[in-house]
Amino acid sequence: MLPAHCVSLLAAVALLTVSCGDNDNTRPADPCDRSRHEATFDACRATSDQPTCEAAGGRWSVGGIFNQQLQCFCPTGLAGCPCTHFSQCLGDCVAPSVPVGTCESVTAGVCQAELPFFGCICASSGFGGGRFGGLCID
């Protein structure tokens, strides 16, 4: 049988071992982790009127050049996060400063700020195996 002070010491060491596991609660969460934003983004995209759009954090506005339809523009939460493939984003991985005619040379970009998007841009959108190409949407 162990002396009482040894039992107390072993109990204290065991408690410290359990409470000091691999959890690093001081490390900030990665703002570019798409799983952190999916539920909020999906809820916003599911709205169909101005009050629910705005309540979900969206912006109610006209979209498109020809369509001119009111709709909810939803923040992805990943604006400006670096990407090389659309699967890293909620939306497309885009190269906003690259002329559409030179998209094939692009290998990296940033995640879109909001959806839907209207206009022309270089994007890795799932078409062509995720390679960057010109994308125009109205």
Side-chain angles (χ1 to χ4, degrees):
M1 178 156 224
L2 292 173
H5 71 276
C6 289
V7 171
S8 297
L9 180 61
L10 287 174
V13 168
L15 181 61
L16 285 173
T17 303
V18 170
S19 65
C20 294
D22 291 341
N23 296 332
D24 183 4
N25 295 329
T26 61
R27 185 177 60 213
D30 179 4
C32 292
D33 176 2
R34 76 176 257 156
S35 65
R36 292 185 61 215
H37 305 281
E38 285 175 333
T40 303
F41 177 71
D42 290 345
C44 182
R45 294 286 286 164
T47 64
S48 58
D49 59 63
Q50 184 173 0
T52 56
C53 168
E54 291 173 351
R59 177 177 60 87
W60 191 253
S61 186
V62 172
I65 296 169
F66 298 109
N67 194 359
Q68 295 292 302
Q69 186 176 13
L70 283 168
Q71 54 194 299
C72 191
F73 289 77
C74 298
T76 64
L78 298 171
C81 289
C83 57
T84 56
H85 193 266
F86 69 93
S87 64
Q88 297 166 304
C89 304
L90 295 170
D92 292 327
C93 178
V94 299
S97 60
V98 176
V100 172
T102 61
C103 297
E104 294 76 27
S105 64
V106 175
T107 58
V110 295
C111 294
Q112 286 177 298
E114 69 177 12
L115 285 180
F117 166 80
F118 296 98
C120 294
I121 199 159
C122 289
S124 167
S125 63
F127 303 108
R131 294 184 310 272
F132 282 78
L135 178 65
C136 293
I137 300 173
D138 178 37

